[in-house]
Amino acid sequence: MLAVPADARPGNPWFSWTYVHENADTILEKLAFHAGLTARAVLIALVVAVPLAVVAYWWRPLTAPILALSSVLYTIPSLALLALVAPAVGTTRDLSVLIALVLYALLVLVRNTLAGLVQVPGPVRDAAAGMGYGRLSRLWRIELPLALPALLTGLRLATVSTVALVTIGAMIGNGGLGDLILGGFNHNFYRAEIITGTVLCVVLALLLDLLLAGLGWLLTPWTRGRRS
Amino acid sequence: MNYLSDGLVWLNDPLNWINPGGLLDRLREHLVICAWAVLMGCLVGWPLGIWLGHRGKGGGPVVVLANLTLAIPTLALLTILPLTPLGFGQLPVVVALTVFAVPPLLANAYTGVREVDPGIRDAARGMGLSGGQLLRQVELPLAVPYLAAGLRTAAVQVVATAALAAFVNGGGLGQVISAGFGIGMSNGGGGQIVAGGLVVAALALTVEAVLAGVQWLVTPRGLRTRARPGASTVV
């Protein structure tokens, strides 16, 4: 148990423009690192997840094992995962955090992409086959576009949770805005630093979510009329 | 692999289990914190979700709002709450974890009551059941699989998230990992970090398996083949 902060008086406000102003460089650097790490993790996960989902979709016997494995892996706590990855990879680089992040985003994306592919109606598949589409062109021209809304839902979920997860990297000093949150806690409970980190985290998550929602709106024009 | 064997060596030392602040102490702390958080989450999430589902209006925004908590880093909540009048110790940790337990409990309770077939609801009304009777005798029993699924998701999430309490000295199994990072890789911390990671992961998987069994038991036979509603999230 920790001691009660000695300076929990007006001298330690929750919000402080002076803090933000004086530390703008550090804050921006942490923010850029946070956003960059999130983007890298989600992009790598996307590149791996879509082919994996397609494999699970084409070879049905693989579907259940891949889904079961992904939900089991997903129950492993992030801190435990970081604890297992970090000693092997090294704690001085951001690679350990990146690996843990990619794994989590991967699971969400595989699950959602597969769900999207599986729910393509049978008649649609038959019609495509009847029109002479091969397996690959059917996937590319028909099944993937129809799975796109589910994929995008997964992508938004993965992105928002990745933004929140990056902060765990603060454990090994690579947490982006998490460094501010934990740093403020360790710097004699400096509230302005904690709140700045938190608010920027939530704002970043919401911005990225909106960005992806907009992207989804652009990419799936056929769903617009059906929105309630 | 070297670190993995270090971790197993660490786990094989009985002193690391029974020492004060050893694994057994941490495990007990972990379970106590989680039990309180899940209990408080149920006390908040279930009545609210059931009431909203029974009422049938205004539930959507609440569920969306509850899911937005996904964007708040656990670390932030764990760091901020001790600085509020809650003070330090296990109370703020329990409160922070409750915040993460409520969304799945609330959303599943709401969906469970909401999903009851309108025909069944009409039939119950026609038989002269009052609103309260309808809720107790028809809607709640039918919502049990959803309530169980929500409880499972929430419990696993809380057990996983409780590891982060170590960041603020809140106790629990995360403390083993955090202490390992404190010792440093080169001083033999690596083995302890891996050992802590293994134990936390094993606990999360055990809780998941036990609750999956419980959920299967409480689900009426006719409903068992249906997929589990709601997705789990771990932060």
Side-chain angles (χ1 to χ4, degrees):
Chain A
M1 208 179 291
L2 291 171
V4 175
D7 52 351
R9 284 182 296 273
N12 187 10
W14 285 106
F15 298 96
S16 160
W17 271 119
T18 326
Y19 164 76
V20 176
H21 191 71
E22 283 174 0
N23 297 280
D25 290 345
T26 322
I27 295 171
L28 283 179
E29 184 197 322
K30 297 287 182 195
L31 181 63
F33 178 84
H34 202 112
L37 198 57
T38 306
R40 268 187 291 164
V42 172
L43 283 179
I44 295 173
L46 189 65
V47 168
V48 181
V50 174
L52 210 59
V54 169
V55 166
Y57 176 60
W58 276 349
W59 289 282
R60 289 299 166 91
L62 289 178
T63 308
I66 286 186
L67 280 185
L69 186 70
S70 78
S71 47
V72 165
L73 280 179
Y74 204 59
T75 56
I76 294 178
S78 46
L79 186 60
L81 193 61
L82 188 60
L84 296 178
V85 172
V89 180
T91 53
T92 48
R93 293 178 293 161
D94 52 10
L95 188 62
S96 342
V97 187
L98 186 63
I99 291 176
L101 292 174
V102 167
L103 274 177
Y104 277 113
L106 190 67
L107 302 174
V108 180
L109 287 173
V110 168
R111 235 194 289 186
N112 274 275
T113 310
L114 191 54
L117 286 172
V118 169
Q119 74 191 16
V120 172
V124 171
R125 259 195 304 260
D126 292 345
M131 286 169 72
Y133 280 106
R135 201 183 216 189
L136 201 63
S137 56
R138 198 177 69 190
L139 178 77
W140 185 246
R141 309 274 303 267
I142 292 168
E143 288 163 340
L144 275 183
L146 283 178
L148 206 54
L151 199 160
L152 282 165
T153 308
L155 196 61
R156 289 173 64 181
L157 194 64
T159 307
V160 170
S161 53
T162 301
V163 170
L165 267 174
V166 170
T167 56
I168 310 301
M171 195 75 191
I172 57 175
N174 274 317
L177 295 166
D179 294 348
L180 294 183
I181 299 174
L182 199 61
F185 195 79
N186 291 335
H187 295 159
N188 216 0
F189 314 105
Y190 190 10
R191 290 172 175 174
E193 193 175 0
I194 297 174
I195 286 291
T196 307
T198 308
V199 169
L200 284 177
C201 247
V202 175
V203 169
L204 182 64
L206 290 181
L207 275 183
L208 290 176
D209 194 44
L210 280 179
L211 196 71
L212 288 173
L215 187 72
W217 190 80
L218 285 177
L219 285 178
T220 59
W222 62 90
T223 58
R224 277 175 222 166
R226 282 189 269 134
R227 291 263 167 78
S228 53
Chain B
M1 280 305 110
N2 186 19
Y3 279 109
L4 193 58
S5 55
D6 282 359
L8 293 177
V9 168
W10 195 91
L11 281 178
N12 265 324
D13 187 346
L15 278 182
N16 288 331
W17 290 80
I18 54 169
N19 267 347
L23 271 177
L24 289 181
D25 276 2
R26 295 300 179 207
L27 182 65
R28 199 168 34 75
E29 280 172 7
H30 203 97
L31 290 176
V32 167
I33 292 172
C34 292
W36 277 110
V38 173
L39 185 71
M40 280 172 61
C42 287
L43 287 180
V44 177
W46 275 350
L48 191 59
I50 289 168
W51 179 67
L52 286 171
H54 181 66
R55 215 165 131 262
K57 270 183 290 186
V62 175
V63 173
V64 168
L65 196 69
N67 281 334
L68 263 186
T69 56
L70 201 66
I72 305 173
T74 320
L75 178 61
L77 212 51
L78 282 170
T79 325
I80 290 169
L81 284 177
L83 302 183
T84 62
L86 283 175
F88 286 79
Q90 294 193 342
L91 182 64
V93 172
V94 170
V95 172
L97 292 175
T98 304
V99 171
F100 288 96
V102 166
L105 290 165
L106 174 68
N108 275 298
Y110 173 73
T111 317
V113 175
R114 211 50 249 145
E115 290 282 286
V116 171
D117 191 339
I120 295 178
R121 211 171 272 155
D122 285 348
R125 289 265 187 213
M127 286 166 68
L129 264 61
S130 69
Q133 284 172 324
L134 171 71
L135 180 65
R136 272 193 309 277
Q137 297 175 13
V138 179
E139 288 175 333
L140 275 187
L142 285 172
V144 161
Y146 284 85
L147 294 176
L151 180 65
R152 172 175 159 194
T153 308
V156 174
Q157 196 171 326
V158 164
V159 167
T161 313
L164 298 181
F167 278 118
V168 293
N169 279 352
L173 284 168
Q175 208 99 347
V176 177
I177 301 173
S178 139
F181 278 118
I183 296 170
M185 286 299 151
S186 46
N187 301 327
Q192 183 176 344
I193 295 168
V194 170
L198 286 176
V199 173
V200 175
L203 181 67
L205 293 177
T206 311
V207 170
E208 166 81 2
V210 168
L211 290 178
V214 170
Q215 186 193 344
W216 190 80
L217 284 178
V218 300
T219 303
R221 193 156 297 167
L223 299 174
R224 271 179 194 169
T225 49
R226 258 195 224 159
R228 172 168 84 101
S232 62
T233 49
V234 178
V235 176

